[in-house]
Amino acid sequence: MCGIVGYVGSRQAQDVLVEGLRRLEYRGYDSAGVVTLHDEDLKTVKTVGKVAVLMDALSRTPLRGTVGIAHTRWATHGEPTNENAHPHLDCRGTIAVVHNGIIENYVVLKRELESRGHQFRSETDTEVVTHLIEEYAQSMSFSDAFFAAIDQIVGTFGIAALCVTEPRKIFVARRGSPLVLGLGVHRDEFFIASDPSAILTYTRDVIYLEDDEAAIVSENGVETFSLDHLKKEKRVEKIEWSLEEIERGRFPHFMLKEIFEQPKVIVDATRGRLDAKNGQSVLGGLSDVAERLRDVERLTIIACGSAHLAGAIGEYMLEEYAGIPTEIEIGSEFRYRRPIIDPKREAVIAVSQSGETADTIGALREAKGKGALAIGLVNVVGSTIARETEAGIYTHAGPEIAVASTKAFLAQLTVLSLLTVFLGRQRSMSQATGQRIIEELAVLPEKIERILAQNDRIKIFAKKYAHYSSALFLGRKYNAPVALEGALKLKEIAYVHAEGYAAGEMKHGPIALLDKSFPVVAIVTKDSVYEKMRSNLEEVRARNAPILALASEGDDEILRLTDDVLYVPRTIEMLSPILNVIPLQLFAYHMAVARGLDPDRPRNLAKSVTVE
Ligand code: AGP
């Protein structure tokens, strides 16, 4: 997601715009830009890096003008560079656009516009909007051209546009990405923003645009429309929230906000990538290496922390459903153990939210040095791992602000399942199996919503277990790494000494820990190892350890074996980690809060570990 700000009034626009961008930096921060319209001329300053870099550039070359738009970027298409930073201009430099969202049909639109002579400067999807408006404006008013261009877009957008022919107006439209209009206290200046935090300094009177609505904002006021350019009345609302509340939305912490964003993360990670008809996943980022991947006979996944645990689940997926021997490796170990790699038969997959984890980068370079084909599964576009791999799949989780990985982990699992279908269908996976997985991915968001609806109940359990200083998390097969991830969450944000274990291993030692002071969190959802897990629960029960179980909806039998149960919807075994991890994320979050800790900023940890 990105941040958008716009202003028209009597102030110097750049001051309002940059302050607004600073408030929106939590929405994206890899590059930023401002454009103002002065003396019928558009002047732009764009920089790579955080808004502070843009502010420094503007201090040296200030932009004059009392109307302008600005953007802070979270890259989805095209690396963070000056050319790819917003705003984007048309061929003649008379139209400027900023955009938040993903334009799914930008390749088709770009080809058509290039065939009509339009010259593109960036790799972004957004730039097509500017040239599309320019094309239409050759035969109609700018206002009509703006609406005609918007009508051609497939995907999501929060868009703001300026044109030298309408020097005191800003044109905005919304579908799937938030936009709010601010009305100056004296109604002599007006604002646009991705969320009210950007304009709260100036006004609390706002109009929230809904999906498929547009507006023309000028110093004389705001006109609102439907996307088919019909007038639409909207009511003015008063912002009652504090600034801090707005940035986190209705949530007390970013971690909880990001856990609740997970249904949308599945949608974003699979957008344009599900081909249910053919039981295929569509992964454009692998197109250049698809034939080499067809011949790959062995995969090594390298990652750290939660990404490593996502990779461990990916190992099960890829072996069971793609039929490829796969090994998960911890980055910091792989690079020093002299791995044997056959460059003709092997590929490595680097999984990383930040794309900057030093241990994963080191391992990746070790594997590349031995000739392996290198694939990246990263969230940050243009990150080091994204640039040092030959191909890859962006996870599209959006910025993850909380240190503990939640939505990024879920996006990694989602993309690993898409990769499994991609590679499986190159091999012996049937169309029917591919369809089953693809169809289930499409309905996961609603199943996640059902789990999130249990948030208050999970909070009660977290309080009930908050006094314990240890815990053992147990799972089998696909859910063994989920047990380790649940334990990792409890360790890193609630500071509980939690162990995650493959349940079958319990009798080989950890069972000695169990007594009434040592609770067990067991993942015992209905799958191919369900009976084995029930046996493990019997063993735990015999030691009087308190048990909190994750079970499948409708499983009443489990009640006699446990003290507390959290039910999750059923799904196919391969995708069950995507659902099962969510109660564990919430359990750890509420345990941390119950213990008076800050889940967003746990002690000793950093969001991206860029040192060995
Ligand atoms: C997860 O909650 C942790 N914050 C940490 O283990 C993280 O997953 C690990 O450092 C890897 O980070 P990356 O995904 O950015 O490479």
Side-chain angles (χ1 to χ4, degrees):
M1 64 188 171
C2 307
I4 290 176
V5 188
Y7 175 76
V8 56
S10 54
R11 304 173 200 257
Q12 282 305 307
Q14 79 161 32
D15 301 335
V16 177
L17 298 173
V18 170
E19 182 188 344
L21 289 185
R22 277 183 47 248
R23 304 265 189 227
L24 296 178
E25 241 181 342
Y26 73 92
R27 302 176 60 85
Y29 41 73
D30 59 46
S31 53
V34 174
V35 60
T36 60
L37 207 167
H38 182 65
D39 288 347
E40 296 181 5
D41 189 20
L42 290 172
K43 288 280 187 240
T44 302
V45 172
K46 304 198 284 189
T47 53
V48 175
K50 296 203 167 191
V51 173
V53 178
L54 177 67
M55 291 171 73
D56 181 51
L58 287 168
S59 65
R60 293 196 302 278
T61 52
L63 293 179
R64 297 178 61 195
T66 57
V67 58
I69 54 179
H71 183 274
T72 181
R73 186 170 182 236
W74 176 264
T76 57
H77 295 75
E79 297 191 9
T81 62
N82 259 38
E83 296 72 24
N84 290 336
H86 302 207
H88 291 287
L89 302 184
D90 64 326
C91 302
R92 293 175 299 136
T94 60
I95 300 168
V97 165
V98 293
H99 164 238
N100 175 20
I102 292 180
I103 299 175
E104 291 178 31
N105 61 334
Y106 85 98
V107 173
V108 172
L109 293 173
K110 186 168 182 175
R111 271 198 212 111
E112 172 60 23
L113 289 161
E114 285 176 327
S115 72
R116 292 168 179 264
H118 289 267
Q119 300 291 315
F120 282 77
R121 303 180 186 88
S122 79
E123 307 160 293
T124 66
D125 54 341
T126 301
E127 194 182 351
V128 298
V129 179
T130 313
H131 295 283
L132 204 50
I133 298 173
E134 180 184 26
E135 184 66 22
Y136 279 116
Q138 292 176 30
S139 58
M140 59 184 78
S141 71
F142 179 80
S143 180
D144 290 344
F146 176 77
F147 281 92
I150 294 295
D151 190 45
Q152 295 299 309
I153 294 174
V154 175
T156 58
F157 50 82
I159 278 182
L162 287 179
C163 178
V164 296
T165 59
E166 299 277 6
R168 303 298 297 165
K169 291 181 181 178
I170 305 172
F171 295 75
V172 298
R174 174 205 157 136
R175 178 183 292 149
S177 296
L179 270 182
V180 62
L181 312 177
L183 288 68
V185 173
H186 304 298
R187 301 298 189 264
D188 57 357
E189 57 182 2
F190 295 87
F191 308 80
I192 293 134
S194 298
D195 77 40
S197 62
I199 55 175
L200 209 58
T201 311
Y202 304 100
T203 182
R204 288 182 172 271
D205 296 338
V206 296
I207 293 172
Y208 286 97
L209 280 189
E210 307 293 329
D211 278 352
D212 293 336
E213 290 183 345
I216 299 174
V217 179
S218 73
E219 59 204 339
N220 303 317
V222 172
E223 296 175 87
T224 47
F225 305 86
S226 61
L227 283 193
D228 42 27
H229 210 167
L230 301 175
K231 274 265 194 188
K232 186 170 185 182
E233 289 310 310
K234 297 282 291 177
R235 67 192 171 90
V236 178
E237 301 185 43
K238 181 73 81 176
I239 296 288
E240 306 298 348
W241 295 340
S242 71
L243 194 57
E244 199 176 72
E245 284 170 322
I246 288 168
E247 285 178 350
R248 287 195 310 263
R250 60 190 169 85
F251 298 99
H253 299 100
F254 276 106
M255 182 176 175
L256 191 61
K257 178 171 183 275
E258 287 155 6
I259 290 171
F260 272 76
E261 284 175 354
Q262 292 180 126
K264 182 177 181 304
V265 165
I266 302 288
V267 173
D268 290 347
T270 58
R271 177 175 282 112
R273 294 170 165 175
L274 303 180
D275 174 0
K277 179 170 174 290
N278 298 304
Q280 284 282 12
S281 58
V282 182
L283 299 176
L286 298 184
S287 51
D288 292 346
V289 297
E291 285 317 303
R292 290 170 64 190
L293 284 171
R294 192 184 297 278
D295 299 330
V296 161
E297 295 172 18
R298 178 177 177 72
L299 292 171
T300 300
I301 304 174
I302 44 182
C304 302
S306 290
H308 168 257
L309 297 171
I313 295 163
E315 175 182 316
Y316 283 102
M317 293 178 178
L318 288 159
E319 292 208 332
E320 180 167 10
Y321 285 93
I324 305 176
T326 304
E327 282 302 318
I328 176 63
E329 294 276 1
I330 293 174
S332 55
E333 288 298 310
F334 179 80
R335 61 188 299 197
Y336 294 113
R337 68 167 181 73
R338 300 215 168 299
I340 297 169
I341 287 183
D342 177 347
K344 296 187 185 60
R345 301 170 49 249
E346 294 199 40
V348 292
I349 302 170
V351 181
S352 174
Q353 188 284 129
S354 63
E356 301 299 343
T357 298
D359 288 330
T360 307
I361 292 170
L364 173 65
R365 289 171 178 165
E366 172 76 15
K368 284 177 66 181
K370 293 176 183 285
L373 168 59
I375 306 291
L377 261 60
V378 302
N379 191 38
V380 178
V381 174
S383 57
T384 300
I385 291 174
R387 282 182 283 107
E388 295 195 8
T389 44
E390 294 173 73
I393 314 163
Y394 284 124
T395 58
H396 291 321
E400 188 173 64
I401 307 301
V403 167
S405 183
T406 52
K407 66 173 187 172
F409 177 78
L410 224 71
Q412 289 161 358
L413 293 179
T414 304
V415 168
L416 282 162
S417 64
L418 292 171
L419 177 64
T420 299
V421 173
F422 183 90
L423 296 174
R425 297 285 282 119
Q426 283 187 331
R427 294 162 175 79
S428 58
M429 180 188 284
S430 69
Q431 180 174 341
T433 300
Q435 281 170 329
R436 177 83 185 87
I437 297 168
I438 295 294
E439 286 161 3
E440 186 60 18
L441 277 169
V443 300
L444 282 186
E446 64 184 294
K447 294 186 176 182
I448 294 174
E449 293 289 2
R450 287 184 7 221
I451 297 171
L452 296 174
Q454 299 183 61
N455 180 46
D456 291 342
R457 188 152 179 270
I458 295 167
K459 181 175 178 178
I460 292 167
F461 285 143
K463 284 184 174 170
K464 177 177 177 182
Y465 287 81
H467 66 282
Y468 291 108
S469 57
S470 306
L472 180 64
F473 285 67
L474 298 175
R476 282 180 177 258
K477 203 175 173 189
Y478 284 97
N479 289 292
V482 178
L484 273 75
E485 170 62 10
L488 176 61
K489 288 281 129 349
L490 209 57
K491 275 195 276 273
E492 65 177 332
I493 64 167
Y495 313 154
V496 172
H497 181 214
E499 293 280 341
Y501 249 86
E505 272 294 285
M506 183 179 64
K507 54 187 176 295
H508 299 290
I511 197 166
L513 293 168
L514 300 187
D515 60 23
K516 63 182 184 323
S517 69
F518 208 112
V520 167
V521 178
I523 304 166
V524 59
T525 46
K526 288 287 180 78
D527 57 22
S528 61
V529 287
Y530 172 74
E531 294 305 330
K532 297 290 182 193
M533 274 306 296
R534 280 173 58 108
S535 306
N536 291 138
L537 277 190
E538 300 277 4
E539 294 159 8
V540 172
R541 195 127 191 91
R543 275 74 186 178
N544 300 315
I547 301 174
L548 168 61
L550 288 193
S552 296
E553 286 174 347
D555 181 359
D556 299 332
E557 286 177 58
I558 209 74
L559 290 168
R560 69 175 183 78
L561 285 175
T562 68
D563 299 281
D564 299 296
V565 181
L566 281 168
Y567 284 107
V568 294
R570 297 204 61 169
T571 183
I572 56 179
E573 184 170 5
M574 161 184 156
L575 300 179
S576 63
I578 293 177
L579 298 184
N580 294 344
V581 76
I582 296 170
L584 306 185
Q585 294 169 343
L586 289 169
F587 183 71
Y589 168 79
H590 287 300
M591 180 86 83
V593 172
R595 290 175 153 228
L597 301 170
D598 177 357
D600 286 344
R601 294 282 176 270
R603 66 186 179 194
N604 309 338
L605 286 172
K607 183 59 190 170
S608 177
V609 183
T610 55
V611 294
E612 276 201 59

